[in-house]
Amino acid sequence: MSGPRRSGRREEIVACAARLFSSRGVGATTVRDIADEVGLHSGSLYHYFSSKDELVAEILAAFLDDLTCSYAAEIRRFVAAPEQLRDLIHVSLRVAVRHPHASEIYDKEFASLPSVPGYEHIAARVREAQDVWARILAKGVAERQFRPDFASVQLQRLLREIVWTATRWHRDSLDDDYLMLSTTLVGLFVDGITARSAGSPAPPVVAPPAPLRREAAGRDLAQLRSEVHALRGVVDELRRASA
């Protein structure tokens, strides 16, 4: 089998497995299920992957490698913390478009991940990504650009979880919705935690960088407004807990 053809088939298997794993779970998805979806005999699938665990590792490693490399390349280094946090949210959603099922698989299979091949690499990438969130928030608090009344550890966990949960809410339409979603999350969280003097106006909505822009007209905003309302409740809860 030629290299490009084998590579294309491997990518097809990975994409199919990711979709099935996120909807059914790894345990409930059989090798036959995956093979049937891509038009292979079950035995033929083992020419590409030795096990379902190897497929899980491939899906998560590809996602986390893309995420951490994109953070390093696309988050501006010499700008204020609020601008870096805007970049962080925009980049996270952009990567989610390329890996729409990965964060859900990570959450669902978290307890069993230590058994998958290459877990050390996956765990290291997760820590690296989390450190980016923590570093930006700590920078903002230290430089008095973010409000000090939020516990930064709780806040960075909350922001991370909401960003990745929001991608799952919009998984089926994320390719179309991520500009709207990204702008809304930035407005809600970055502007919401940015320190400013009493009575000063809220900062203007900042559009994502040019590579992230897409036509957003004609989309239904009712669901997103409902979700934002729920997220505001979570933020209020965190504020009370940190008081």
Side-chain angles (χ1 to χ4, degrees), residues 123-179:
R125 286 302 207 187
V126 168
R127 289 192 297 270
E128 186 178 342
Q130 291 176 351
D131 286 348
V132 174
W133 287 86
R135 186 170 63 248
I136 291 173
L137 288 168
K139 169 183 167 70
V141 171
E143 296 176 355
R144 299 184 179 181
Q145 294 170 320
F146 292 152
R147 291 167 47 184
D149 53 327
F150 290 116
S152 61
V153 173
Q154 291 176 331
L155 183 60
Q156 66 109 343
R157 175 180 289 182
L158 173 68
L159 293 182
R160 281 198 337 262
E161 292 301 318
I162 287 176
V163 167
W164 296 120
T165 299
T167 67
R168 296 195 285 275
W169 288 341
H170 291 259
R171 185 179 61 197
D172 294 337
S173 58
L174 189 59
D175 194 49
D176 293 323
D177 289 350
Y178 80 95
L179 171 61

Side-chain angles (χ1 to χ4, degrees), residues 70-127:
S70 295
Y71 283 173
E74 299 179 39
I75 295 174
R76 291 166 290 171
R77 296 183 182 182
F78 304 110
V79 297
E83 294 303 315
Q84 289 186 330
L85 187 53
R86 287 186 175 94
D87 289 349
L88 181 59
I89 292 173
H90 294 321
V91 173
S92 297
L93 291 170
R94 189 178 181 185
V95 173
V97 170
R98 298 194 288 268
H99 307 268
H101 306 284
S103 67
E104 187 169 4
I105 293 170
Y106 180 85
D107 283 348
K108 284 183 176 179
E109 307 301 329
F110 180 79
S112 63
L113 288 182
S115 67
V116 305
Y119 171 73
E120 294 80 6
H121 176 77
I122 291 170
R125 286 302 207 187
V126 168
R127 289 192 297 270

Side-chain angles (χ1 to χ4, degrees), residues 28-70:
T29 302
T30 66
V31 170
R32 180 182 292 277
D33 291 333
I34 300 168
D36 287 346
E37 285 285 322
V38 296
L40 288 173
H41 294 295
S42 298
S44 299
L45 198 66
Y46 290 107
H47 292 300
Y48 299 90
F49 294 96
S50 62
S51 66
K52 287 192 297 182
D53 280 350
E54 187 181 349
L55 268 166
V56 172
E58 177 96 1
I59 292 163
L60 295 181
F63 164 59
L64 291 164
D65 286 347
D66 191 0
L67 186 68
T68 52
C69 290
S70 295

